[in-house]
Amino acid sequence: MVSISGLHMVLAAGTFFWLVRALLALSPSLALLWPVKKIAAIAAMIGATAYCIFSGSDVATERSLVMTLVMFGAVLADRPALSIRNLSIAALVVLAREPEALLGPSFQMSFGAVAAMIALVPLMQWRSSETASASLIGKAFAWAARAVCGVVATTLVASLATAPFAAYHFQSLNPYGLVGNALALPLVSLVVMPAAVLGVLSYPFGLDGPVWKLMGFAVAHVLGVSAWVSSFEGSTVVVPAPGIGALALLSAGLLALTIPVSRLRWLALVPAGAGLAFAAAPQRYDIYVDRDGAGAAIRAARGDLTLVGKPSGFVIEQWLRADGDGRGAGDASLRQAARCDRLGCVVEAGAQRAVAFVREFAGFEEDCRRAAIVVTRLEAPASCEAPVVLDRRALAERGATAIGLGGEAAEIRSVRKGREVVPWASGTLIADSPAKSRPRGARPVSELDWPGEEISNGEPD
């Protein structure tokens, strides 16, 4: 389900606005002599602010609050509230208060969904102006049809607008969200949210019991709809994370669709098409190493990731999602391509490169001579000959690291050092130069088979 916090804010503020204006209109003298509409707008602004505070004041709710305050402020100034200016003011206020929110999914998805719906408003108004019927049944049918079309249209537009951000941050898409929203949002809008407001208002008088029962009935059905839709096969699709370039182009397309008011909106097809092309071919790394070397995910020759070591379940889930892999952290197939013994593991990766994960110091003698990449949480000896070595010292300098295996060089991207390119013939990369100056050599060990008969698939007992 796509939750649009502006809908809840409008329901809360609209309830205060309607109640105050209706109560003031009961007195003819107040209705004729006092600006009841502006008084109701002030009451709605106070109520919307209180709703924002009590709901937690996250980025999406702040955006909704600012837009609601601008709208009622326009009522006080006898001016129309233009949606694009309204959204711009909300963005400026939120970013002035929390500049870091620009990079978060809440800001991007909230403002992206609203910007896309603003672009849809003229089309929806054109459709609604054509429907007119003289009979009461015809008007009711037209109102119901507009309500259903509005829910479907806003859900579809919001889902399409937020899909790039959902894929980038969460690596997942929900193709049946349109069905879930179409079935559940009417209950949320017409029963759950109004019942919440009425329950709070009737609580001081002890009349809230039936309201809470009605709200609970509606919430149970909303959860039932959500569970039913999520049980569909393919209800959640795991996709590879698109690159920052693809996300920037898709965001530019959304802005080009929203800001112009003429046919210049068609220019949005250019960056959007380029963004989709880049997103369809995301960059996928071949090796993922956690920050302390406890484990790694290595792309085996068959193309999927293989786990070695003991990384945390959360880290495994992030690696799999970023790769577009729908397997869970406990899937047994994640370790089938690794050949392991008590000293470590070996995985045949792409480009006929062997990747060794060393658990015991005795494993360096063999793995440093035969592997292209050595990963370990130990401190590797200075004599290690592998072209790329990520040991305790290297990972302390770089943090979590991803490696792409090329034909002539390895591309290394880490949290602290960014992107590095290491040619296979250039020598060994061990925490830059300090590792080469360490006086300690490798301990003498007997020749090990690599791999031998004692090596098994997966982790040793």
Side-chain angles (χ1 to χ4, degrees), residues 5-6 14 18 81 138 159 198 223 315 421 454:
S5 58
W18 182 85
S159 299
L198 291 177
L223 295 177
V315 171
V421 177
E454 75 279 8

Side-chain angles (χ1 to χ4, degrees), residues 361 364-365 379-384 435 437-444:
F361 196 87
F364 286 117
E365 174 72 15
E379 191 169 333
S383 58
C384 189
S437 63
R438 294 197 297 271
R440 186 188 65 195
R443 299 175 185 174

Side-chain angles (χ1 to χ4, degrees), residues 23 77 85 87 108 112 133 151 202 217 225 234 273-274 276 296 300 343 352 357 363 382 392 398 414 450 458 461:
L23 292 175
R85 295 180 182 177
L87 184 64
Q108 295 171 3
S133 178
V151 170
S202 60
F217 175 81
V225 168
L276 289 175
L343 300 180
Q352 296 183 344
F357 179 79
R392 178 190 300 174
R398 288 172 173 80
S414 58
W450 197 82
D461 295 335

